[in-house]
């Protein structure tokens, strides 16, 4: 089994930011805030966050804030709850939440809650359990969960639970590992895990492991490194991670590395990208791989960052 090429991955993450004219950079232009979160969190998990200019990053993040209080994926784009959480997570990494007008940001997020407890992603009204997780995670990090109706938010998430134990994007939607993470994470943050049938959901999640050791997001789909996060974090939260073969999953993630140029791909020998590099490293963190910092399975931030936010005296 190959080892984690941490140094190569750090170089890859740092190089992506410098190649402004590359296809990857242009294709991600509209969601650069998410890309920054993936890349910077990877650097932190590998102990190399100091390799970036903090002031430059913080200045750029703030330049993406809209007058509504929400953040856009890049300068000049429209605000969305997705990018708002990424902005808060980035500032959390650097201990810079104090630069925010927390009231303004939390008002933007809480203003997206609907009467049934669900959340819209932005002013255009798309509803998805992803947005429920994002709102709850973001407001929790800002110590402003009291700005929303948590009881209704939980009721809406529970209404998206399926007979197989999983969760969909809306009531009746197909169970999907990404949506399951969002719902399980939100229920964990709100202290509502009692709504989950842990054995039933644990069975559905552990069935996502295929012969190669990788995990897929739904039945009959190919494995993908990103599910090393979505599935694994959910299994850890519900205490059923021992139901999968961890050693085979580690091997699958390591086999997806580009050992020459750095980065991790969705499957072995495919092209690498920042998204899969982050979720591959985050998956290894959850698997307690040597040399990778611990990550919190609900907040998707390094454990030391989360502890700083909630337990600093």
């Amino acid at each position: 089994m190959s080892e984690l090429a941490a140094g190569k991955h750090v170089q890859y993450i740092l190089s992506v930011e410098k190649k402004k004219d590359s296809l990857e950079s242009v294709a991600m232009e509209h969601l650069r805030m998410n890309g920054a979160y993936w890349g910077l969190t990877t650097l932190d998990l590998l102990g190399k966050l100091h390799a970036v200019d903090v002031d430059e990053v913080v200045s750029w993040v703030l330049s993406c804030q809209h007058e509504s209080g929400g953040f856009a994926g890049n300068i000049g784009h429209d605000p969305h709850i997705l990018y708002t959480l990424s902005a808060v997570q980035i500032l959390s990494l650097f201990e810079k939440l104090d630069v925010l007008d927390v009231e303004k940001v939390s008002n933007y997020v809480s203003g997206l809650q609907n009467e049934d407890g669900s959340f819209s992603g932005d002013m255009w009204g798309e509803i998805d359990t992803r947005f429920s997780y994002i709102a709850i995670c973001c407001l929790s990090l800002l110590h402003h969960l009291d700005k929303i109706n948590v009881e209704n938010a939980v009721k809406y998430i529970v209404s998206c639970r399926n007979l197989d134990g999983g969760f969909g994007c809306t009531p009746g939607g197909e169970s999907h590992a990404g949506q399951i993470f969002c719902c399980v994470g939100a229920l964990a943050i709100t202290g509502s895990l009692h709504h989950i049938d842990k054995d039933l959901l644990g069975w559905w999640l552990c069935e996502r492991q295929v012969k190669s050791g990788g995990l897929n997001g739904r039945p009959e789909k190919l494995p993908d490194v990103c599910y090393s996060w979505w599935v694994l974090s959910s299994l850890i939260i519900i205490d059923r991670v021992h139901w999968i073969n961890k050693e085979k999953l580690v091997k699958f993630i390591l086999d997806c590395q580009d050992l020459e140029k750095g980065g991790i791909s969705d499957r072995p020998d495919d092209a690498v990208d920042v998204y899969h590099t982050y979720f591959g490293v985050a998956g290894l963190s959850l698997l307690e791989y040597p040399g990778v910092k611990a990550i919190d399975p609900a907040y998707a931030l390094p454990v030391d960052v989360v502890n700083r936010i909630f337990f600093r005296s």
Side-chain angles (χ1 to χ4, degrees), residues 116-118 128-129 132-133 136 150-173 175 179-180 182-188 190-197:
D116 63 356
S118 65
D128 191 308
T129 46
S132 296
Y133 164 76
I136 287 168
V150 174
E151 183 180 354
N152 279 359
V154 169
K155 282 181 180 177
Y156 180 77
I157 292 169
V158 173
S159 76
C160 297
R161 187 178 61 200
N162 292 317
L163 292 174
D164 57 16
F167 293 83
C169 57
T170 52
S175 294
Q179 305 295 153
I180 288 170
C182 291
C183 294
V184 171
L187 294 176
T190 56
S192 307
L193 288 175
H194 57 280
H195 290 291
I196 297 174
D197 183 331

Side-chain angles (χ1 to χ4, degrees), residues 210-265:
V210 301
K211 288 182 179 179
S212 66
L215 301 163
N216 61 24
R218 291 178 290 162
E220 303 302 321
K221 296 294 184 178
L222 293 172
D224 187 317
V225 157
C226 71
Y227 295 112
S228 305
W229 170 263
W230 307 118
V231 173
L232 203 57
S233 55
S234 300
L235 282 170
I236 288 174
I237 292 172
I238 65 172
D239 195 26
R240 297 297 184 275
V241 73
H242 54 287
W243 287 7
I244 64 163
N245 188 315
K246 296 181 184 179
E247 290 73 22
K248 288 186 71 174
L249 179 55
V250 169
K251 183 181 185 303
F252 177 78
I253 297 172
L254 295 177
D255 285 346
C256 293
Q257 299 179 103
D258 183 330
L259 295 174
E260 291 184 16
K261 298 180 180 179
I264 298 175
S265 58

Side-chain angles (χ1 to χ4, degrees), residues 33-34 37 70-72 80-92 97 100 105 108-109 130-142 181 189 298-301:
M33 188 69 75
N34 292 153
Y37 157 69
F71 286 81
H80 195 284
I81 199 170
L82 276 166
Y83 311 124
T84 302
L85 174 60
S86 287
V88 169
Q89 289 170 316
I90 290 168
L91 295 175
S92 298
L97 286 176
L100 284 178
V105 177
Y108 169 78
V109 174
R130 286 181 301 152
F131 308 148
S132 296
Y133 164 76
I134 287 167
I136 287 168
C137 182
C138 189
L139 292 174
S140 179
L141 291 170
L142 297 176
F181 160 75
I189 291 170
Y299 288 99
L301 284 169

